[in-house]
Amino acid sequence: MTADTKWNVRRRRAIQSVFQTDISQPTPHSTPSIRFPEQGQPFGGPLAQTPQKGVDAQLFLSPENNQHAAQQTRFDRSWHVVTSRIALPNSVTAEDSFGSLPSSQNVDDEAFREALRDVLDPASRLPLAAHTEDILAWHTQQIRSHFVGHVLPLLSVCGGYSDQTQTLLGSIRTLEAAHRQYLFGLRLILRAMEEEDAELAMMKFQRDLHALVGNSMSDALMDALRSALGQLMKTVLGVSTTYHVPKHEKKVAVPPVKVDKARRELHQLVESLCKVGLAGEKFQILFAELLDGLMIAYIRETFAGVWVPNDDLKIRSRIAGRIKVQPKCIKELLDWIENQYARLAVEVTSRLGAGIRVSWSDVSKWKEIAVGRLAALRIDELFDIVISWPDSEGGIDDLRYAITTPQRRLQLTDAFSGTLQRRLLHAGRSTLDILRTYISMIRAFHKLDHSRVLLDRVAYSLQLYLCTREDTVRIIVTGLLANREEINTDARNTKLVELVELLHQDSNQYQNERQDEDFDDLDWTPAPVDAGSNYRRRKSEDVIGTLISALGSPEVFIKEFQSIIGERLLSEQTGFKQEVGVLDLLKKRFGESSLQACDVMIKDIQDSARLDGVIHRGAVNHPDKVNRDWTIHARILSRLYWPEVGEERFLLPSDVTEMQKMYETIFEHLKPSRKIKWLDHLGQATVELELEDRTISEQVHTYEAAVINAFSEENSSTWKFDDLYMKLQMDEDLLTAALEFWEKKHVLRKLPDNSYTVIERLSDAERPSSLQVAQPSTAAVDLASSTPRKAKSSISEKEKEKRQVYWQFIVGMLTNSSPAMPLGQISMMMKMLIPDGFPWSNEELQEFLGEKIADGELEIVGGKYKLVKK
């Protein structure tokens, strides 16, 4: 107690002892005082009137003869004694807050106790007193006025502090000081009451006081409480105090000493809040919100990006039988909920009172909520989990445990489909990346849901998008034909090498998949509730089967496989062990008849090597017919079983033509029933060029060799395009390609007059020709005038039939499906609808549609093709 405060107390006592303010002030003006006035004089006050003669006047002037007035006077005096002792100070200063409490000797005298009995029980002690009041109600109203007038302003000052900790501590100290004042008077009153009544009165008083304090909490106080309480709860629950934790960074555990300290501070804070009335409904809502937010934060900090495979899960699953086994992350989360989260809730709610108790059903509900939120996190991460497969198998285990209802399954498929459109199915991702992701999707979703219902939902848009990519089938086939040694090499950047290993793994499993049902399967499970009517249960992943089904029909894959096998068989490759092995594996899936053409193609190459040797030996035996070195080798193909390769005719050098005729003669002698038709544009030739300053040896195509051979003739080192075109009778595209090839090899040089000349010395390639220097203006004219018309390449009858079939499909789509379609949509629907597949690229289809526009059968409006109305 400060010196100033002691001085104020002594001054108040001196004034009361002289002027007896404790007696005269509370007495009503109509009630006589102890010091009676003289007879005939009024008591004073607004109600005093001139006394009249008679009995009534005598009764009014003689209180000792009037028991009613005596008891009323006694009550009033007792009321004043009690209220003056428990009255709250009228002013508040920063130094003494709400003032000091009176000493016990000032309130423990007999007069006060007697007066308190009169005030508390006027019905039995002063039955004739007409006007009595409830001292507890008066004290409560006094507290309300004092709280509004003096406490709230101090709380507003505390709310203005910049430090939230000071705001909270200052508010608690202010309310504690006010509580001491309020409870001092109440305890004095309760001394004279029965124990049971005193307890009830105390409970009602505290309830009203806490409601008053709780409803007066400011936003600044709530923010400060949220900050302080949140920090302590984060430490206790092991949640990071920062708002952002880097992904995949290992979480640092909080030391146990720090956790125990934070727990004690939290308990003290809650107890202090309960004492001052700040632990009401607003605090309970705040605590629940913080608990909810910390559960989300803990799940994201602890389990985001943690997809480590559960190596012991399969072992525990076998031991447990059909009991659902918890993955590692799920088990850790449920342990945290039970031992940390629920413990904190129990510790706080047990200190709040108010009948709040945490039951075991609440803990079970929290576990369900936590598992659902972990499932939501895994759904958000599912695309990354798929990309990281199989290193992310733990994430799929978590989803498999948590995704058990149709609603959650639908949430998963909707979210993943949106992520696919945003992160994968766009022009910025290569077809190889999309197919590699699709393979991971098949394997991950098979682990997640053996029924493949979820995979069918999310893969439809991806399958449609793959149909628009021209290189989809070729990449799949090339991946199947890759070597197993290329799996862990740089070939992964250009080939889908994963299919090689999958092909060998799935070959044996696929035989069992072709059975409709296994009635002796002990692991059989019914179809999911969200499965479609055409649902069919599958046991294995069947990655290759799923990829091939995405192409529309197996015929599309088989046709492309034949095409690529043909390219490989016609290459300079010597052995075809890989191709034969892949073909045998594919026969198990598609059957012998579907791949019969490939067997014939391989047999043709094997027979050609043997037959070519026989023909060469026959040529050696006829030296009179062969007057030079025999340098021609041929591969004899069965026309009906090989893919359509087209035909490009041009004139070969005379010596090559002679060797071809000799080859035909010997072949027809060996195979009288068969004839040879040469496909010159598919051949290979070895060219050796001797120039003035260098010698060049190249393995080139036959048409490239024919073009450079024309420049080797006498006085023919320079040719114009038209003259060369007429001499070789070669298609313009082939001729242009051959000339450009030799230009890149720095063997030929193009002149401004559209002629080509041989570069004998590399130094000549860097000097401009005299024609370029002397006649720069006429070069463009000569170039333009000498540009030949593009000759239309010959089309076989079989190709014409196909083009007519394709045109009928296009007419049907534009008639029945949509009156106008863009190029991409026409191409996609052709690939899906044509049974034998649609091998054209978008450029080839665009050229075909351009021909139909020129013929007047189609028109293009706004980038869409429409049939011309006739």
Side-chain angles (χ1 to χ4, degrees):
M1 183 181 298
T2 62
D4 187 34
T5 303
K6 294 180 180 180
W7 166 252
N8 292 334
V9 173
R10 289 196 298 270
R11 184 176 61 179
R12 190 182 303 113
R13 292 176 184 172
I15 294 174
Q16 291 177 356
S17 63
V18 175
F19 297 100
Q20 299 184 8
T21 56
D22 56 334
I23 298 177
S24 59
Q25 285 182 358
T27 304
H29 294 289
S30 60
T31 303
S33 176
I34 297 177
R35 294 170 296 178
F36 296 103
E38 294 180 1
Q39 186 175 0
Q41 294 183 354
F43 291 109
L47 298 180
Q49 295 181 356
T50 304
Q52 298 177 359
K53 295 181 179 181
V55 179
D56 294 338
Q58 292 296 326
L59 291 174
F60 181 77
L61 295 176
S62 302
E64 58 272 18
N65 297 327
N66 191 334
Q67 295 297 325
H68 291 81
Q71 291 188 11
Q72 184 66 48
T73 301
R74 179 178 173 181
F75 178 82
D76 292 341
R77 291 173 179 173
S78 298
W79 179 269
H80 173 66
V81 171
V82 175
T83 56
S84 63
R85 297 290 177 89
I86 66 175
L88 297 173
N90 294 327
S91 63
V92 177
T93 61
E95 289 78 8
D96 61 356
S97 183
F98 303 104
S100 60
L101 297 176
S103 60
S104 59
Q105 60 183 0
N106 296 331
V107 296
D108 216 15
D109 55 346
E110 183 62 28
F112 175 78
R113 290 197 295 271
E114 188 67 22
L116 184 58
R117 296 190 190 96
D118 293 341
V119 172
L120 288 175
D121 190 17
S124 58
R125 296 176 63 88
L126 302 172
L128 299 180
H131 302 285
T132 60
E133 294 186 29
D134 187 354
I135 189 62
L136 292 175
W138 178 88
H139 186 55
T140 302
Q141 184 61 34
Q142 172 188 226
I143 290 174
R144 292 179 183 273
S145 301
H146 185 271
F147 185 85
V148 173
H150 303 294
V151 179
L152 285 182
L154 287 181
L155 294 178
S156 299
V157 173
C158 295
Y161 295 157
S162 58
D163 187 359
Q164 291 185 331
T165 303
Q166 293 297 326
T167 299
L168 181 61
L169 293 178
S171 300
I172 292 177
R173 292 193 185 108
T174 300
L175 291 173
E176 286 177 346
H179 271 68
R180 285 194 297 270
Q181 292 286 344
Y182 300 160
L183 292 178
F184 173 77
L186 179 65
R187 290 193 178 97
L188 293 180
I189 297 174
L190 297 181
R191 287 181 181 180
M193 298 178 63
E194 298 291 336
E195 182 177 358
E196 183 178 355
D197 295 339
E199 291 180 358
L200 294 176
M202 176 63 77
M203 292 175 56
K204 182 178 182 302
F205 176 81
Q206 288 183 342
R207 184 175 64 251
D208 294 342
L209 181 59
H210 289 174
L212 176 65
V213 174
N215 292 327
S216 303
M217 295 176 67
S218 63
D219 294 339
L221 179 57
M222 288 296 296
D223 294 340
L225 182 58
R226 181 187 299 273
S227 176
L229 187 64
Q231 291 294 332
L232 294 174
M233 291 174 64
K234 286 179 180 179
T235 305
V236 172
L237 295 178
V239 180
S240 175
T241 56
T242 58
Y243 290 94
H244 176 71
V245 176
K247 193 175 182 180
H248 305 298
E249 180 176 314
K250 188 175 181 180
K251 186 177 178 181
V252 180
V254 182
V257 178
K258 187 176 181 181
V259 173
D260 295 338
K261 180 181 178 182
R263 191 182 300 276
R264 290 193 299 270
E265 293 178 357
L266 178 62
H267 295 169
Q268 294 172 1
L269 175 61
V270 174
E271 291 171 356
S272 300
L273 295 175
C274 291
K275 290 179 181 179
V276 299
L278 292 178
E281 182 179 0
K282 289 186 177 181
F283 171 81
Q284 296 168 16
I285 295 175
L286 175 62
F287 178 69
E289 290 176 352
L290 289 174
L291 272 181
D292 184 70
L294 290 177
M295 179 190 291
I296 298 175
Y298 178 82
I299 291 174
R300 291 198 171 272
E301 291 179 7
T302 308
F303 304 110
V306 180
W307 312 320
V308 180
N310 299 282
D311 297 331
D312 60 336
L313 187 61
K314 295 181 180 179
I315 300 175
R316 290 190 287 127
S317 299
R318 296 192 193 101
I319 297 175
R322 291 187 173 271
I323 301 176
K324 201 172 184 180
V325 180
Q326 297 174 351
K328 181 179 178 181
C329 291
I330 297 288
K331 188 175 184 300
E332 182 179 345
L333 176 60
L334 297 182
D335 290 343
W336 179 80
I337 289 292
E338 182 174 345
N339 300 323
Q340 300 295 329
Y341 191 85
R343 176 186 175 184
L344 176 62
V346 170
E347 291 174 349
V348 173
T349 54
S350 63
R351 286 169 170 78
L352 295 179
I356 302 176
R357 292 291 182 270
V358 176
S359 62
W360 183 251
S361 61
D362 296 330
V363 178
S364 301
K365 191 66 177 178
W366 287 336
K367 290 182 178 180
E368 294 179 8
I369 295 173
V371 171
R373 286 175 174 169
L374 180 59
L377 174 64
R378 291 292 183 252
I379 290 175
D380 294 339
E381 298 175 332
L382 185 54
F383 187 81
D384 297 318
I385 292 174
V386 167
I387 292 178
S388 303
W389 185 267
D391 297 332
S392 57
E393 188 175 354
I396 296 295
D397 290 334
D398 296 339
L399 279 174
R400 187 177 181 183
Y401 181 89
I403 304 298
T404 55
T405 62
Q407 292 77 12
R408 285 186 179 175
R409 290 164 65 92
L410 182 61
Q411 177 190 358
L412 182 146
T413 54
D414 290 346
F416 189 76
S417 298
T419 307
L420 277 182
Q421 295 290 340
R422 186 174 63 257
R423 298 182 58 181
L424 186 68
L425 305 183
H426 55 79
R429 300 298 289 267
S430 66
T431 307
L432 183 62
D433 290 340
I434 297 176
L435 287 172
R436 188 162 282 142
T437 304
Y438 191 20
I439 292 174
S440 299
M441 279 177 55
I442 297 170
R443 303 185 67 183
F445 273 81
H446 178 75
K447 176 75 174 180
L448 174 62
D449 175 34
H450 291 311
S451 68
R452 298 174 68 94
V453 173
L454 299 182
L455 178 63
D456 292 341
R457 286 182 185 173
V458 299
Y460 181 71
S461 59
L462 189 147
Q463 293 173 354
L464 289 180
Y465 188 80
L466 283 175
C467 291
T468 63
R469 294 289 184 105
E470 301 174 1
D471 55 345
T472 300
V473 184
R474 179 165 289 269
I475 291 177
I476 295 175
V477 176
T478 305
L480 290 173
L481 294 174
N483 295 322
R484 302 187 71 176
E485 293 77 12
E486 297 178 338
I487 294 178
N488 297 321
T489 63
D490 294 337
R492 291 179 55 89
N493 300 328
T494 57
K495 295 181 182 179
L496 201 63
V497 294
E498 296 91 334
L499 293 181
V500 182
E501 188 174 1
L502 290 173
L503 180 62
H504 289 79
Q505 291 176 355
D506 296 346
S507 59
N508 296 326
Q509 298 177 358
Y510 185 74
Q511 296 295 328
N512 297 328
E513 287 291 332
R514 304 188 69 175
Q515 300 178 5
D516 292 336
E517 198 67 69
D518 290 334
F519 295 101
D520 58 346
D521 185 6
L522 300 179
D523 295 329
W524 179 88
T525 55
V529 295
D530 51 353
S533 57
N534 58 345
Y535 166 75
R536 178 175 173 271
R537 181 173 177 265
R538 302 178 185 177
K539 297 179 181 179
S540 63
E541 297 174 351
D542 192 19
V543 176
I544 296 177
T546 306
L547 279 178
I548 294 174
S549 64
L551 304 177
S553 63
E555 289 76 11
V556 177
F557 170 80
I558 294 174
K559 186 173 182 179
E560 186 67 25
F561 182 77
Q562 291 176 356
S563 177
I564 295 179
I565 282 286
E567 293 177 3
R568 292 198 171 201
L569 294 178
L570 295 177
S571 66
E572 294 300 317
Q573 185 176 337
T574 56
F576 304 99
K577 181 179 179 181
Q578 175 69 17
E579 287 75 7
V580 174
V582 172
L583 181 61
D584 292 338
L585 293 175
L586 290 178
K587 286 179 182 178
K588 297 180 180 180
R589 182 177 298 275
F590 298 107
E592 295 279 349
S593 59
S594 300
L595 297 169
Q596 181 182 4
C598 296
D599 285 333
V600 176
M601 292 164 62
I602 294 176
K603 187 175 184 299
D604 284 345
I605 298 301
Q606 294 172 347
D607 293 344
S608 295
R610 183 174 60 256
L611 187 59
D612 185 69
V614 174
I615 293 175
H616 271 260
R617 289 192 295 271
V620 172
N621 296 331
H622 296 80
D624 55 333
K625 297 182 179 181
V626 182
N627 54 6
R628 56 167 297 168
D629 294 336
W630 189 260
T631 59
I632 187 171
H633 298 272
R635 288 174 178 165
I636 303 170
L637 314 179
S638 300
R639 178 177 58 87
L640 297 177
Y641 292 93
W642 282 75
E644 184 69 28
V645 294
E647 183 179 357
E648 299 289 349
R649 293 186 176 274
F650 53 90
L651 297 180
L652 294 173
S654 58
D655 52 352
V656 177
T657 305
E658 292 176 1
M659 284 189 288
Q660 286 181 339
K661 290 180 179 180
M662 184 61 192
Y663 201 99
E664 290 180 19
T665 302
I666 300 175
F667 177 79
E668 292 175 359
H669 177 74
L670 297 174
K671 302 284 186 179
S673 61
R674 302 180 68 182
K675 291 185 179 182
I676 290 180
K677 181 179 180 181
W678 294 95
L679 301 175
D680 296 329
H681 65 290
L682 297 179
Q684 299 283 332
T686 302
V687 176
E688 293 184 1
L689 303 177
E690 293 183 0
L691 303 173
E692 292 182 5
D693 61 347
R694 64 197 185 282
T695 300
I696 298 177
S697 179
E698 290 286 345
Q699 185 79 19
V700 298
H701 293 96
T702 309
Y703 61 89
E704 294 169 345
V707 170
I708 201 62
N709 182 73
F711 288 86
S712 65
E713 297 177 0
E714 187 177 357
N715 298 325
S716 301
S717 61
T718 301
W719 284 89
K720 285 191 175 183
F721 188 90
D722 291 345
D723 297 337
L724 199 58
Y725 172 73
M726 297 301 296
K727 175 178 175 57
L728 299 177
Q729 299 180 15
M730 185 182 294
D731 180 71
E732 284 188 10
D733 294 336
L734 287 181
L735 181 57
T736 303
L739 291 172
E740 290 178 352
F741 172 79
W742 291 116
E743 276 190 275
K744 293 178 181 178
K745 296 296 182 180
H746 298 290
V747 175
L748 299 179
R749 179 176 58 175
K750 186 177 182 180
L751 301 178
D753 60 347
N754 204 31
S755 61
Y756 293 82
T757 185
V758 178
I759 304 174
E760 292 290 346
R761 292 183 298 272
L762 288 177
S763 58
D764 295 340
E766 301 176 357
R767 291 203 310 264
S769 65
S770 59
L771 182 61
Q772 288 178 307
V773 177
Q775 300 177 356
S777 60
T778 60
V781 178
D782 294 340
L783 179 62
S785 61
S786 63
T787 302
R789 295 188 304 273
K790 185 173 181 179
K792 189 174 181 180
S793 59
S794 59
I795 300 176
S796 64
E797 292 297 328
K798 187 176 181 180
E799 183 67 19
K800 289 181 180 179
E801 293 177 1
K802 287 186 176 181
R803 292 166 71 91
Q804 185 61 28
V805 172
Y806 296 161
W807 172 242
Q808 294 300 325
F809 270 99
I810 294 174
V811 171
M813 287 188 297
L814 296 178
T815 303
N816 303 321
S817 180
S818 175
M821 288 187 181
L823 178 67
Q825 186 178 0
I826 295 176
S827 176
M828 181 186 69
M829 295 190 68
M830 294 282 284
K831 291 178 180 179
M832 295 177 60
L833 297 176
I834 298 177
D836 295 335
F838 185 65
W840 287 1
S841 64
N842 285 353
E843 289 75 12
E844 292 173 327
L845 177 61
Q846 187 176 14
E847 183 179 355
F848 176 72
L849 296 177
E851 295 175 3
K852 295 300 180 182
I853 293 175
D855 295 340
E857 299 187 33
L858 278 181
E859 62 179 350
I860 184 169
V861 179
K864 296 183 178 181
Y865 293 91
K866 299 175 59 178
L867 291 173
V868 176
K869 296 182 180 180
K870 298 181 181 179

